[in-house]
Amino acid sequence: MADCLPFRSTGFFTDLISDYIEEKKDLKPFYNRFPSIDNFEAQIEEKSKSYNQDNRKGLIEVLTNQYKLLSTSQETQQHIDLLLEHTTYTVTTGHQLNLFTGPLYFLYKIVSTINLAKQLKENYPDANFVPIYWMASEDHDFDEINFFNFKQNKLEWEKDTEGAVGHLSTSGLEKLSKTIEKEFGKSDNAEYLKGLFKVAYLEHETLASATQFLANELFGEYGLVVLDADDARLKTMFSKHIKNDLQYHTAFRQTKKQADKLSDLGYNVQVNPREINLFYMYEGIRERIVKQDDRYLVIDSEVSFSEQEILDLVDEYPERFSPNVVMRPLYQEVILPNLAYIGGGGELAYWLELKSLYEAESVTFPILMLRNSVLLYSDKTAKKLRKLDTEIKDLFLSTDALEAKQTKRNSSIDIDFESQKKVLEKQFADLYELAEKTEQSFYGAVAAQEKKQKNGLDHLEKRLLKAQKRKLKDENERVLELQRYLFPNQSLQERTFNFSEIYVDYGEKLIPKLIEELDPFQFEFLCLELTIYNTKS
């Protein structure tokens, strides 16, 4: 069973994203083409003309090298080989190197990307489409990625770190692996997950290689290509744009202009660009580059360069220049023959600040696709909801609103005073008719009395609701308990759960089920019921 809700009605998406999905006129200047299947025809034509086809050879060389130590599926290898052809395009999603994939939406991002590539092939059979997972291996926010949740327990990797997370050694994860042995249980599905964690993190030297292995294991059969763009050959293709940022602050000027326009429209700005949107990455550090007077300084270090020195360094060691959140999307679109980016609401919010930067840099702006969002619930939960006469969409309400709705539904007393209010309005209609025949002061007195009595009815209605809540507390608690489980800390399940929590019960059918059910062009929130088969060893 599956139900869909408009993103806006869930209460978990910003006006900016809801307005984008609803194609509000004010937002059209901030994107290239709306994500419809028909619009990809023009996107393909534009990208074919703007993309530097010479980049394909270097891209394949990098991917071939990175896949040397992986068991590459036939589908993935075919996709890598196809990248050499001028009629092959990519669709891309990106994500941090979260421990054991991190939040559940990691799966939804990649499934959305795989399914988009499949639908494009069906509609444009003369071209080829490769789903790409771009690993954010150059990020340095270790505290954001060093844990995952399993049944409300935070399983954390404790480690002192600095620099790009992709370079981090996986040493020290043996301790966490032992914790997982206890937490996951002993079912067949749990044993598979424990083995997957061990191979990924105890048999691979860096977090980047562990993450690439894990994504390949989960999605290789669907032809997913995992790319670590932390590579000198790829940075060489981007060097012109690195120099533009250093010398002319192109990204700052263009992005700030767009951000100011979004702000004027009443939207919150997701990222604020800096004059230089690059980090210096060398010997374990990743620190911002700033310009003071005529020198380029690396923050929190004694490293500095003249303009000519830093430009020469870009030519000699491009891998030392790491793009930030503003420049990374441009880097992606320069090195890939990319048509679309699939991301969450927060990601699309900052992408909508970038279009004029692409125009200034003569790079095609991709179609922006909002990834699928899903609430997964078991058939057992579905039975409980039916028994409680509650719909899954009700659980998206606030706790107070859900409790009030459930109380009104289960109460033997009619808590809605709407009929009494209509009687009151009829009585006062007669009084207003009378007041029309006398002086204005009496008319005002009638209006004041009507307001007072309506407020009194509202107060009584609230008192009655409160009393019935107490009386039906045990019945309501069963619904609220389901809501607390599926919306931990009043947040979306996909932002808190790790896939392992679902996989322990649902097993190897999980990803095929998501592949079957998720439609990248269905811009609604999906509530998906799963039939659980918990196999024991």
Side-chain angles (χ1 to χ4, degrees):
M1 295 291 292
D3 292 299
C4 292
L5 288 80
F7 282 113
R8 191 184 297 276
S9 72
T10 68
F12 288 99
F13 292 81
T14 64
D15 287 339
L16 175 60
I17 296 306
S18 296
D19 288 350
Y20 174 65
I21 291 303
E22 294 165 11
E23 296 187 75
K24 290 296 176 68
K25 184 178 178 181
D26 287 345
L27 286 176
K28 287 189 177 180
F30 296 90
Y31 58 89
N32 194 11
R33 295 179 180 88
F34 189 76
S36 68
I37 192 68
D38 292 339
N39 282 341
F40 273 89
E41 182 176 1
Q43 189 74 13
I44 290 169
E45 183 177 354
E46 183 180 349
K47 188 67 179 185
S48 68
K49 293 176 181 177
S50 69
Y51 180 64
N52 184 350
Q53 301 291 347
D54 293 338
N55 290 352
R56 291 182 183 272
K57 184 178 178 182
L59 178 61
I60 290 179
E61 288 176 356
V62 170
L63 286 168
T64 300
N65 185 62
Q66 291 180 0
Y67 270 84
K68 276 182 180 177
L69 300 179
L70 293 175
S71 176
T72 310
S73 70
Q74 182 179 344
E75 292 80 5
T76 294
Q77 188 59 56
Q78 183 181 25
H79 276 157
I80 292 173
D81 295 339
L82 283 171
L83 283 168
L84 197 58
E85 298 183 10
H86 289 199
T87 54
T88 298
Y89 303 90
T90 62
V91 291
T92 302
T93 193
H95 197 65
Q96 295 171 298
L97 308 191
N98 292 76
L99 190 64
F100 213 44
T101 76
L104 190 56
Y105 67 76
F106 172 83
L107 267 64
Y108 306 154
K109 275 186 166 185
I110 292 181
V111 171
S112 298
T113 307
I114 290 168
N115 282 348
L116 175 58
K118 286 168 58 180
Q119 288 198 32
L120 288 173
K121 183 62 177 175
E122 291 169 3
N123 284 270
Y124 302 98
D126 292 338
N128 299 300
F129 305 94
V130 177
I132 299 282
Y133 162 40
W134 178 292
M135 297 200 304
S137 57
E138 296 179 40
D139 283 2
H140 59 255
D141 296 319
F142 181 68
D143 290 342
E144 292 184 6
I145 67 162
N146 69 331
F147 69 95
F148 68 95
N149 298 312
F150 183 80
K151 296 187 176 179
Q152 300 181 337
N153 291 326
K154 185 177 182 180
L155 305 181
E156 189 172 2
W157 180 16
E158 297 176 357
K159 188 181 184 75
D160 293 326
T161 69
E162 62 178 1
V165 296
H167 299 172
L168 292 178
S169 167
T170 53
S171 62
L173 277 166
E174 297 85 358
K175 180 180 177 182
L176 184 57
S177 182
K178 291 177 181 178
T179 302
I180 289 170
E181 282 281 347
K182 299 175 184 176
E183 294 287 342
F184 279 16
K186 295 185 179 298
S187 69
D188 292 345
N189 295 336
E191 293 300 328
Y192 167 75
L193 289 172
K194 289 185 284 187
L196 186 62
F197 185 92
K198 285 180 180 178
V199 176
Y201 294 101
L202 305 188
E203 297 182 16
H204 291 82
E205 293 184 358
T206 66
L207 186 57
S209 60
T211 304
Q212 189 174 39
F213 166 82
L214 187 58
N216 183 62
E217 284 294 303
L218 293 174
F219 295 102
E221 68 179 281
Y222 301 102
L224 180 71
V225 175
V226 184
L227 175 63
D228 182 357
D230 180 10
D231 188 280
R233 285 164 292 187
L234 300 180
K235 294 281 179 72
T236 299
M237 302 174 192
F238 190 59
S239 60
K240 177 182 73 172
H241 306 280
I242 293 174
K243 290 179 180 179
N244 284 348
D245 192 61
L246 291 169
Q247 288 182 285
Y248 309 118
H249 312 313
T250 308
F252 173 74
R253 289 186 290 102
Q254 297 296 335
T255 306
K256 188 177 187 307
K257 181 171 63 175
Q258 293 293 90
D260 290 344
K261 288 179 181 178
L262 282 169
S263 182
D264 291 342
L265 289 171
Y267 298 113
N268 292 327
V269 173
Q270 187 73 12
V271 297
N272 291 297
R274 301 181 184 277
E275 284 196 351
I276 295 177
N277 293 278
L278 297 163
F279 292 89
Y280 187 68
M281 191 167 65
Y282 183 56
E283 293 185 345
I285 70 162
R286 184 178 186 255
E287 299 290 348
R288 283 174 47 217
I289 301 171
V290 298
K291 189 175 182 182
Q292 291 184 7
D293 300 324
D294 60 347
R295 300 289 294 178
Y296 290 84
L297 311 180
V298 177
I299 293 292
D300 294 333
S301 79
E302 297 180 358
V303 179
S304 71
F305 309 97
S306 69
E307 182 172 287
Q308 191 57 53
E309 286 171 340
I310 202 166
L311 294 178
D312 289 343
L313 201 65
V314 172
D315 291 329
E316 191 172 1
Y317 299 106
E319 69 276 13
R320 296 186 187 180
F321 295 86
S322 178
N324 73 356
V325 67
V326 171
M327 288 290 283
R328 187 211 64 77
L330 183 66
Y331 178 34
Q332 169 191 298
E333 297 304 312
V334 167
I335 68 172
L336 294 175
N338 198 50
L339 301 176
Y341 183 77
I342 298 89
E347 291 175 286
L348 264 55
Y350 71 72
W351 273 90
L352 289 168
E353 299 176 35
L354 303 178
K355 181 169 177 279
S356 64
L357 167 61
Y358 284 70
E359 292 168 351
E361 297 278 357
S362 300
V363 177
T364 297
F365 194 66
I367 289 177
L368 302 179
M369 305 278 294
L370 183 63
R371 65 165 173 82
N372 290 109
S373 281
V374 189
L375 174 65
L376 300 175
Y377 61 103
S378 70
D379 51 343
K380 293 180 181 178
T381 296
K383 289 177 183 176
K384 289 179 182 178
L385 289 169
R386 287 192 290 271
K387 190 174 181 180
L388 294 166
D389 193 24
T390 304
E391 296 180 80
I392 190 69
K393 66 181 181 181
D394 292 340
L395 301 185
F396 286 83
L397 296 169
S398 68
T399 300
D400 288 342
L402 176 60
E403 188 176 13
K405 185 171 184 177
Q406 200 68 14
T407 299
K408 290 177 181 179
R409 179 181 283 145
N410 294 328
S411 174
S412 58
I413 302 170
D414 187 3
I415 299 174
D416 189 347
F417 281 13
E418 194 60 35
S419 60
Q420 288 87 341
K421 290 174 185 176
K422 286 181 179 179
V423 170
L424 189 67
E425 287 172 359
K426 176 65 173 67
Q427 292 173 340
F428 273 91
D430 295 338
L431 285 173
Y432 280 122
E433 188 175 337
L434 180 64
E436 291 285 353
K437 300 174 182 178
T438 185
E439 62 180 27
Q440 185 65 32
S441 63
F442 182 71
Y443 190 95
V446 171
Q449 188 64 28
E450 180 187 29
K451 184 177 180 181
K452 180 178 179 181
Q453 292 197 32
K454 281 186 174 180
N455 287 342
L457 280 176
D458 287 339
H459 179 68
L460 287 173
E461 187 176 338
K462 289 177 182 177
R463 287 285 301 270
L464 179 57
L465 176 62
K466 190 174 181 180
Q468 287 298 93
K469 279 183 179 179
R470 288 196 295 268
K471 184 177 180 181
L472 299 169
K473 183 178 179 181
D474 290 343
E475 292 180 52
N476 289 343
E477 181 59 27
R478 290 196 284 272
V479 172
L480 296 177
E481 185 179 357
L482 289 176
Q483 186 190 54
R484 285 192 293 270
Y485 172 67
L486 292 175
F487 294 81
N489 301 316
Q490 298 182 340
S491 180
L492 287 175
Q493 176 198 69
E494 63 183 32
R495 299 176 186 170
T496 304
F497 277 40
N498 178 260
F499 87 100
S500 58
E501 186 162 344
I502 308 295
Y503 196 101
V504 161
D505 288 330
Y506 200 68
E508 63 184 11
K509 297 180 180 180
L510 175 60
I511 291 176
K513 182 67 172 176
L514 295 175
I515 294 285
E516 177 188 347
E517 295 287 350
L518 271 56
D519 179 356
F521 291 101
Q522 184 180 43
F523 300 124
E524 292 183 301
F525 196 104
L526 179 66
C527 301
L528 183 61
E529 180 185 332
L530 301 177
T531 302
I532 299 301
Y533 305 95
N534 191 356
T535 58
K536 299 293 182 181
S537 57

